[in-house]
């Protein structure tokens, strides 16, 4: 990256401290000519000299250095855990992952000539979303109202040249359950999915991430909240479209108590293999859009019932690995079989072509160093 | 005699700690070299693995205990290290270099304390050179220990055999330095 000194600030700080260029060169143990070249923009201090300069003048790296045009920063979106707040450190970490993934792109098996399909102008309007999910279901050769399965979602990710990265980030320790990284320079999308997730939630997050892939223009326009709202609305509608909501409303409306309404929601969710909350929310949205009465249920009761409902199912990781701690080989093989992802093949080619260290792999996938070391050996 | 501290990076620690226990806080040689790990490495060791792996021993109490003793730093040193890190990480990020934040913090600490860092990582060695931080490879550290009678040739062979078994050689070409350092051919399987 091209770097230039922030000369106005540098000169102002020298004046403030009463230092001449000569005094500065003496303090830094450098020739006057070398320092003079900095001020004329003819050279840039070596890393060690820049550090000494910063310490001498009490300025930080970002004060002293202005970066020239650089590669576009990775765009990131999180599927946050409930109750978490996205901080700068989360964004920095995800962008760091994106920067490290950039050289892996050349090893992906994607078409080098044709860019993947993206939505022209993603809208949050109910009718727009419903028309979009009808179109997506048609493209997937799916009945407009039947339950959608994981294979359908995975197929769509691959069609859109989005790289699925199944990871095991634990159940409670993280800020996010899914992470979307878009690299503008290569127009590649990386979707990290936490396998330590409840079955039904996982399906929703996959659909949510698919919404991000289609609406990447919102991320490019820095409309982060709108991008999240769109992805949520898209996911709910794709998994439980308008006609399903309309058909379910009939049963739901006949129930007279919270308990019986919740029972109905749980039954429908079980049939569709989606989160009961998606069922409830999509029926509610349908009613709001068509100005129909909707009997809400007490949220604590609903959440308690959903929590009990989830306990009846294993996490995705438990299902895939029979509750065992998998070896790196086993983890990659099952991930490849289940998600048809090119990620491990691409990483393997990258590892073989470079001397990438386990610590770089650890940062790239945000996994413990121990896992990265095992992965590196298995990939090589 | 005052210690001469030496900081180990994570991979060097893993290559030595299992077979050389206690690895840390044991002075050796005329310079009383004493090995330390950075607090960030201790945090890394606390991360639970999700895959079956060869490093379960890291979380055994005796190794945890050995890593516990902190690197004593004054407030002035902490401030200087933070300034070093700011510039070093700025440089790493701007140039798209491979060292991680933990690697960079280890070097920022060594720069302030004017001590050696033990690393086999090419990117870390290059970054250390840029800032004048002296480095040893794991094999060079073992040579220092061997010369100080702190490490026997049998232990050297054992350590190297372990790397071969773990498929964890610290560099592609090790035969020549091994022969130069220890005056014998390395165990079979060495590069």
């Amino acid at each position: 990256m091209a770097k230039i000194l922030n000369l106005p600030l540098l000169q102002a700080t020298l004046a403030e401290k009463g230092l001449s260029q000569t005094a500065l060169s003496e303090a830094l143990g450098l020739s006057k000519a070398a320092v003079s070249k900095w001020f004329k923009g003819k050279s840039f201090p070596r890393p060690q000299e820049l550090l000494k300069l910063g310490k001498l003048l009490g300025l930080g790296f970002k004060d002293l250095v202005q970066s020239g045009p650089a590669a576009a920063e990775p765009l990131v979106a999180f599927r946050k855990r409930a109750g978490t707040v996205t901080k700068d450190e989360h964004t920095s970490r995800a962008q760091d992952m994106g920067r490290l993934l950039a050289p892996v792109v050349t090893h992906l098996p994607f078409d080098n000539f044709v860019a993947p399909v993206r939505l022209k102008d993603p809208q949050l309007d109910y009718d727009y979303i419903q028309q979009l999910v009808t179109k997506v279901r048609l493209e997937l050769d799916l009945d407009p109202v039947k339950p959608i399965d994981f294979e359908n979602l995975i197929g769509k990710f691959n069609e859109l040249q989005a790289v699925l990265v199944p990871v095991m980030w634990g159940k409670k320790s993280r800020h996010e359950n899914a992470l979307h990284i878009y690299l503008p320079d290569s127009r590649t999308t990386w979707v990290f999915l936490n396998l330590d997730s409840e079955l039904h939630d996982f399906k929703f997050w996959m659909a949510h991430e698919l919404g991000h892939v289609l609406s990447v223009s919102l991320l490019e326009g820095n409309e982060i909240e709108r991008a999240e709202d769109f992805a949520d609305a898209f996911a709910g509608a794709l998994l439980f479209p308008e006609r399903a909501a309309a058909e379910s409303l009939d049963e739901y409306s006949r129930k007279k108590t919270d308990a019986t309404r919740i029972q109905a929601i749980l039954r429908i969710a079980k049939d569709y293999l989606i989160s009961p909350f998606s069922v409830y929310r999509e029926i509610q949205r349908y009613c709001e859009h068509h100005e129909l009465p909707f009997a809400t249920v007490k949220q604590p009761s609903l959440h308690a019932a959903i929590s009990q409902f989830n306990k009846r199912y294993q996490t995705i990781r438990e299902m895939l690995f029979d509750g065992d701690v998998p070896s790196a080989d086993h983890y990659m093989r099952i991930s490849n079989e289940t998600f048809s992802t090119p990620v491990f093949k691409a990483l393997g080619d990258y590892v073989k072509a470079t001397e990438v260290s386990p610590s770089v792999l650890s940062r790239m996938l945000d996994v413990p160093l121990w896992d990265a070391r095992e992965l590196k050996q298995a990939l090589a | 005699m005052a210690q001469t501290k030496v900081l180990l990076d994570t991979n060097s620690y893993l290559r030595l700690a299992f077979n050389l226990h206690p690895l840390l806080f044991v002075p050796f040689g005329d310079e009383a070299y004493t090995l330390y790990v950075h607090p960030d490495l201790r945090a890394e060791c606390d991360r639970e693995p999700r895959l079956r792996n060869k490093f379960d021993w890291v979380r055994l109490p005796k190794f945890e205990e050995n890593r516990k003793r902190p690197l004593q730093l004054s407030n002035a040193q902490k401030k200087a290290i933070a300034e070093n890190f700011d510039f070093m990480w700025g440089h790493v990020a701007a140039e798209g270099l491979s060292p991680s934040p933990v690697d960079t913090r280890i070097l920022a600490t060594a720069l302030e304390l004017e001590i050696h860092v033990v690393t086999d990582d090419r990117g870390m060695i290059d970054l250390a050179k840029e800032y004048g931080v002296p480095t040893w490879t794991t094999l060079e550290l073992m040579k220092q220990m061997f010369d100080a009678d702190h490490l026997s040739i049998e232990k050297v062979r054992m350590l190297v055999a372990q790397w071969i078994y773990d498929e964890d050689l610290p560099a592609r070409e090790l035969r020549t330095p091994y022969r130069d350092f220890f005056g014998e051919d390395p165990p079979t399987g060495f590069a």
Side-chain angles (χ1 to χ4, degrees), chain A residues 1 3 47-48 50-51 54-55 59-61 64 96 168 170 196 317 325-328 331 354-355 357-360 363 366-371 373-375 377, chain B residues 10-11 14 44-45 47-55 59 80 83-84 86-87 89-91 94-95 98-101 103 111 121 130-132 166-168 172:
Chain A
M1 187 196 297
K3 291 180 298 190
Q48 213 173 338
L50 189 72
L51 171 60
K55 286 197 170 197
L59 296 171
F61 183 88
L64 269 175
D96 183 45
M168 294 181 287
D196 288 300
R317 184 173 66 87
V325 176
S327 66
Y331 155 67
T354 63
E355 280 198 60
S357 69
S359 70
V360 169
R363 281 161 65 203
D366 196 17
V367 296
L369 185 65
W370 333 114
D371 290 354
R373 289 175 70 106
E374 295 295 322
L375 277 172
Q377 281 186 8
Chain B
T10 312
N11 289 312
L14 294 175
E44 181 62 56
C45 289
R47 284 188 79 179
E48 191 191 341
R50 313 294 293 162
L51 297 172
R52 208 174 304 154
N53 74 87
K54 305 179 192 85
F55 300 98
R59 277 167 296 285
E83 287 167 356
N84 294 348
D86 174 52
F87 277 84
W89 185 247
H91 174 63
E95 300 298 328
S98 66
S100 70
D103 297 338
L111 178 62
D121 185 274
E130 290 277 25
Y131 288 93
D166 288 342
E167 295 174 29
D168 183 33
R172 282 188 176 170

Side-chain angles (χ1 to χ4, degrees), chain B residues 102-116:
Chain B
V102 178
D103 297 338
T104 309
R105 230 181 297 279
I106 289 171
L107 292 174
T109 305
L111 178 62
E112 172 58 22
L113 301 182
E114 297 179 339
I115 60 176
H116 275 80

Side-chain angles (χ1 to χ4, degrees), chain A residues 41-69:
Chain A
K42 288 183 177 174
S43 73
F44 189 83
R46 293 173 53 209
Q48 213 173 338
E49 293 164 351
L50 189 72
L51 171 60
K52 283 180 182 167
L53 180 65
K55 286 197 170 197
L56 186 71
L57 301 180
L59 296 171
F61 183 88
K62 283 182 179 165
D63 302 322
L64 269 175
V65 179
Q66 294 173 313
S67 300

Side-chain angles (χ1 to χ4, degrees), chain B residues 136-152:
Chain B
W136 284 328
T137 61
T138 309
L139 215 56
E140 284 170 329
L141 170 67
M142 285 160 61
K143 166 68 173 163
Q144 295 285 342
M145 292 171 145
F146 178 71
D147 288 347
D149 290 330
H150 187 61
L151 186 65
S152 67

Side-chain angles (χ1 to χ4, degrees), chain B residues 53-71:
Chain B
N53 74 87
K54 305 179 192 85
F55 300 98
D56 283 350
W57 58 266
V58 164
R59 277 167 296 285
L60 291 173
K62 71 174 184 178
F63 295 108
E64 280 187 346
E65 192 59 37
N66 188 230
R67 286 193 303 266
K68 256 186 191 166
R69 195 183 307 184
L71 198 59

Side-chain angles (χ1 to χ4, degrees), chain A residues 130-290:
Chain A
Q130 292 300 334
Q131 285 167 21
L132 173 63
V133 300
T134 302
K135 180 179 179 297
V136 169
R137 280 174 162 260
L138 268 172
E139 287 166 356
L140 290 170
D141 205 16
L142 268 175
D143 181 284
V145 74
K146 287 277 189 312
I148 201 164
D149 60 31
F150 284 106
E151 286 78 9
N152 301 133
L153 293 169
I154 290 162
K156 195 68 185 168
F157 276 110
N158 286 326
E159 181 195 313
L160 294 171
Q161 300 186 13
V163 185
L164 289 177
V165 190
V167 284
M168 294 181 287
W169 281 341
K171 272 181 102 166
K172 289 194 168 70
S173 60
R174 285 187 73 87
H175 144 271
E176 75 265 17
N177 277 313
L179 169 63
H180 181 105
I181 298 176
Y182 178 69
L183 304 181
D185 287 344
S186 59
R187 296 198 198 174
T188 52
T189 300
W190 304 76
V191 177
F192 286 73
L193 292 166
N194 185 7
L195 301 179
D196 288 300
S197 304
E198 307 293 351
L199 174 70
H200 306 83
D201 291 341
F202 189 80
K203 200 178 202 179
F204 183 86
W205 295 329
M206 280 187 83
H208 174 99
E209 292 304 325
L210 194 54
H212 275 310
V213 175
L214 287 165
S215 64
V216 75
S217 58
L218 295 176
L219 291 177
E220 285 172 323
N222 204 28
E223 296 180 85
I224 306 298
E225 273 190 42
R226 194 173 160 80
E228 287 304 317
D229 290 345
F230 175 85
D232 267 351
F234 172 83
L238 182 69
L239 299 177
F240 201 65
E242 183 173 18
R243 252 183 62 191
E247 288 170 13
S248 303
L249 178 63
D250 191 39
E251 178 185 353
Y252 183 83
S253 301
R254 286 200 304 270
K255 308 299 178 188
K256 299 298 174 208
T257 66
D258 272 9
T260 53
R261 287 184 192 119
I262 289 171
Q263 280 306 313
I265 288 166
L266 297 182
R267 191 197 58 71
I268 298 163
K270 186 166 175 281
D271 288 349
Y272 269 79
L273 204 69
I274 59 175
S275 166
F277 194 75
S278 293
V279 174
Y280 177 79
R281 191 74 192 90
E282 290 310 309
I283 295 174
Q284 187 179 31
R285 278 190 177 132
Y286 174 84
C287 290
E288 283 167 2
H289 180 71
H290 293 282

